[in-house]
C-alpha cells in the first residue's frame, strides 16, 4: 500500500520522503535521455574542450577539416535546473496539505532521482521579483537542495510587468523543472517561461492546485484570503461559485494554451494526486518522447 501525500508530508523529512516516493515509481528512475556515447548513430556535433579526443570522427575530419563527434541516443547525465516559486500563494492549504509542502516533496523526489543517475543539479527560487540561485552543480548538490528546501518559506508576490533575468538566459543544454501554482495577475509567469526558452533547453512545468481552486463547490459563508496581500473577504460560497468556476476554467484553459510551445511540457496536478504517480507520468512521457 502506497503512502499518501499527507503521510509523506507529515514525516517532515524530505530525504526520507524522496526515497519512499522513488520506491513507489513503476517506470524506472531516469529523468530523461540525451545524446551521448552509444551504439546507434544519431548525429554529429562539434568537438568541445573536455571531450575525449578519441571520439572525434577522423574520417569525417579528413573530408571536411572539421573536428566532429558522433553522438547516439542513450541514457546519459543531464544538466537539471530546478526552480521553485516562493510567492505567498504557495501557502495555500487544502485537506491538510500545503501547496508548498507538496512542491518541496515533488522537487526533493526529482532531485533524488537526478542524484541517483549522476545528473548535474542546480536549484533556484523565485520570490518578490528576484531569481536566486541557491545551489550550484556540485557533488553535494542534492544534499544542499534538501537543506534549502527545508529552510525556504513562501511569502510576498511576484511583480507585474516585464523584467530581465540574465541568469535565466543560459544557452547550455539543460532540463528545466519549474514548480509553481502559475496563478498570475497578468502574464508574469508566461513571460518568465518565454525568457527561458532556447532550442537547447527542455522546460517542464508543474502546476500544483487544490481541487477547490480548480472547481469551487462549497456551500456556506467563507472568508477568502489573498495570500499575496492583506485583503480578506467574507462571501457566500453559493453566490461566488458560478462566477469563480467560469473565470478559473477560462484562465486555466488559456494558460495551458499559452504553454503549448516547442520544448515546453505542462503538467497541471492537484494536491490529492500521489506525487509518485505524477513523477511516473512525467518519466513515462519522456521515455515515449
Amino acid at each position: 500500500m502506497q503512502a499518501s501525500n499527507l503521510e509523506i508530508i507529515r514525516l517532515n523529512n524530505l530525504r526520507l520522503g524522496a526515497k519512499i516516493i522513488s520506491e513507489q515509481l513503476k517506470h524506472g528512475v531516469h529523468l530523461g535521455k540525451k545524446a551521448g556515447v552509444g551504439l546507434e548513430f544519431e548525429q554529429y556535433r562539434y568537438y568541445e574542450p573536455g571531450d575525449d579526443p578519441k571520439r572525434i570522427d577522423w574520417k569525417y575530419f579528413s573530408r571536411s577539416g572539421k573536428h566532429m563527434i558522433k553522438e547516439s541516443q542513450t541514457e546519459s547525465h543531464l544538466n537539471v535546473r530546478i526552480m521553485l516559486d516562493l510567492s505567498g500563494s504557495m501557502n495555500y492549504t487544502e485537506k491538510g496539505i500545503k501547496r508548498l509542502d507538496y512542491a518541496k516533496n515533488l522537487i526533493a523526489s526529482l532531485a533524488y532521482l537526478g542524484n541517483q543517475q549522476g545528473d548535474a543539479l542546480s536549484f533556484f527560487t523565485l520570490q518578490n521579483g528576484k531569481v536566486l540561485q541557491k545551489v550550484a552543480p556540485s557533488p553535494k548538490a542534492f544534499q544542499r537542495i534538501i537543506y534549502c528546501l527545508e529552510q525556504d518559506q513562501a511569502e510576498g508576490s511576484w511583480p507585474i510587468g516585464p523584467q530581465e533575468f540574465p541568469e535565466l538566459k543560459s544557452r547550455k543544454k539543460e532540463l528545466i523543472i519549474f514548480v509553481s501554482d502559475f496563478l498570475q495577475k497578468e502574464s508574469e509567469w508566461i513571460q518568465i517561461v518565454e525568457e527561458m526558452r532556447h532550442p537547447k533547453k527542455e522546460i517542464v512545468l508543474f502546476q500544483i492546485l487544490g481541487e477547490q481552486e480548480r472547481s469551487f463547490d462549497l456551500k456556506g459563508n467563507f472568508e477568502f484570503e489573498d495570500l499575496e496581500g492583506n485583503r480578506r473577504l467574507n462571501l457566500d460560497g453559493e453566490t461566488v461559485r458560478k462566477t469563480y468556476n467560469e473565470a478559473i476554467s477560462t484562465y486555466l484553459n488559456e494558460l495551458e494554451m499559452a504553454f503549448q510551445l516547442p520544448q515546453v511540457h505542462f503538467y497541471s496536478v492537484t494536491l490529492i494526486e500521489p506525487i509518485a504517480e505524477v513523477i511516473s507520468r512525467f518519466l513515462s512521457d519522456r521515455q515515449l518522447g
Side-chain angles (χ1 to χ4, degrees), residues 86-88 127-129 155-159 185 227-229:
L86 286 178
S87 300
Q127 189 171 38
N128 293 318
E155 63 179 9
S157 62
W158 193 259
K185 297 174 183 176
L227 295 174
E228 297 188 6

Side-chain angles (χ1 to χ4, degrees), residues 213 240-254:
E213 288 182 301
V240 302
R241 182 172 59 185
K242 182 179 179 180
T243 302
Y244 173 84
N245 286 340
E246 289 177 353
I248 194 66
S249 177
T250 299
Y251 171 76
L252 294 177
N253 288 335
E254 291 178 350

Side-chain angles (χ1 to χ4, degrees), residues 17-35:
K19 186 175 181 181
I20 291 172
I21 290 169
S22 71
E23 291 172 351
Q24 294 176 350
L25 297 176
K26 300 177 182 178
H27 297 286
V29 298
H30 289 280
L31 291 185
K33 293 182 178 181
K34 77 167 194 176

Side-chain angles (χ1 to χ4, degrees), residues 13-275:
N13 187 322
L14 291 173
R15 188 188 303 269
L16 177 58
K19 186 175 181 181
I20 291 172
I21 290 169
S22 71
E23 291 172 351
Q24 294 176 350
L25 297 176
K26 300 177 182 178
H27 297 286
V29 298
H30 289 280
L31 291 185
K33 293 182 178 181
K34 77 167 194 176
V37 183
L39 298 177
E40 183 182 354
F41 174 69
E42 283 280 329
Q43 62 185 5
Y44 280 107
R45 71 167 174 82
Y46 284 101
Y47 172 84
E48 298 177 353
D51 289 329
D52 186 348
K54 294 179 181 178
R55 294 181 59 198
I56 295 174
D57 187 333
W58 293 108
K59 289 184 179 179
Y60 188 95
F61 173 77
S62 67
R63 298 194 305 269
S64 66
K66 298 178 181 179
H67 294 86
M68 306 296 287
I69 287 178
K70 282 185 178 181
E71 289 189 325
S72 61
Q73 190 71 25
T74 185
E75 297 291 352
S76 184
H77 302 320
L78 292 169
N79 292 311
V80 182
R81 180 201 297 243
I82 300 173
M83 300 173 55
L84 173 62
D85 172 16
L86 286 178
S87 300
S89 60
M90 294 296 287
N91 288 319
Y92 176 81
T93 302
E94 187 174 300
K95 295 183 179 179
I97 300 175
K98 181 186 287 189
R99 182 170 17 241
L100 182 61
D101 290 333
Y102 188 108
K104 287 181 176 182
N105 279 273
L106 173 62
I107 286 174
S109 301
L110 291 168
Y112 179 89
L113 296 178
N115 184 61
Q116 289 292 100
Q117 71 182 47
D119 291 333
L121 303 173
S122 59
F123 178 58
F124 293 73
T125 59
L126 294 88
Q127 189 171 38
N128 293 318
K130 296 180 180 179
V131 176
L132 298 177
Q133 181 170 2
K134 299 283 186 70
V135 179
S138 77
K140 293 185 177 180
F142 172 67
Q143 292 89 330
R144 290 171 179 164
I145 289 173
I146 294 297
Y147 174 80
C148 288
L149 289 172
E150 290 172 342
Q151 306 301 314
D152 282 333
Q153 300 295 322
E155 63 179 9
S157 62
W158 193 259
I160 298 173
Q163 299 176 82
E164 292 290 330
F165 297 104
E167 57 269 53
L168 300 181
K169 293 184 177 180
S170 71
R171 295 186 176 182
K172 66 180 181 181
K173 188 171 185 177
E174 61 183 353
L175 170 65
I176 298 175
I177 297 173
F178 187 6
V179 182
S180 171
D181 55 22
F182 291 103
L183 298 176
Q184 54 189 5
K185 297 174 183 176
E186 291 187 357
S187 58
E188 50 267 28
W189 293 129
I190 294 173
Q191 291 169 1
I192 288 286
V193 173
E194 284 283 2
E195 189 163 353
M196 290 191 294
R197 289 181 62 215
H198 187 273
K200 291 184 178 180
K201 296 180 182 181
E202 185 173 3
I203 302 174
V204 180
L205 310 173
F206 287 101
Q207 180 188 46
I208 304 171
L209 296 174
E211 287 187 299
Q212 293 300 322
E213 288 182 301
R214 294 177 65 92
S215 180
F216 184 79
D217 65 358
L218 299 179
K219 296 180 180 179
N221 292 314
F222 296 91
E223 182 178 70
F224 294 85
E225 179 183 0
D226 179 0
L227 295 174
E228 297 188 6
N230 298 315
R231 294 182 300 168
R232 293 174 182 266
L233 291 174
N234 288 297
L235 297 171
D236 175 64
E238 188 73 26
T239 302
V240 302
R241 182 172 59 185
K242 182 179 179 180
T243 302
Y244 173 84
N245 286 340
E246 289 177 353
I248 194 66
S249 177
T250 299
Y251 171 76
L252 294 177
N253 288 335
E254 291 178 350
L255 185 71
E256 186 171 0
M257 289 290 292
F259 286 144
Q260 289 184 5
L261 300 166
Q263 299 293 98
V264 176
H265 311 282
F266 180 64
Y267 294 86
S268 185
V269 305
T270 64
L271 292 169
I272 64 167
E273 289 186 61
I275 295 172

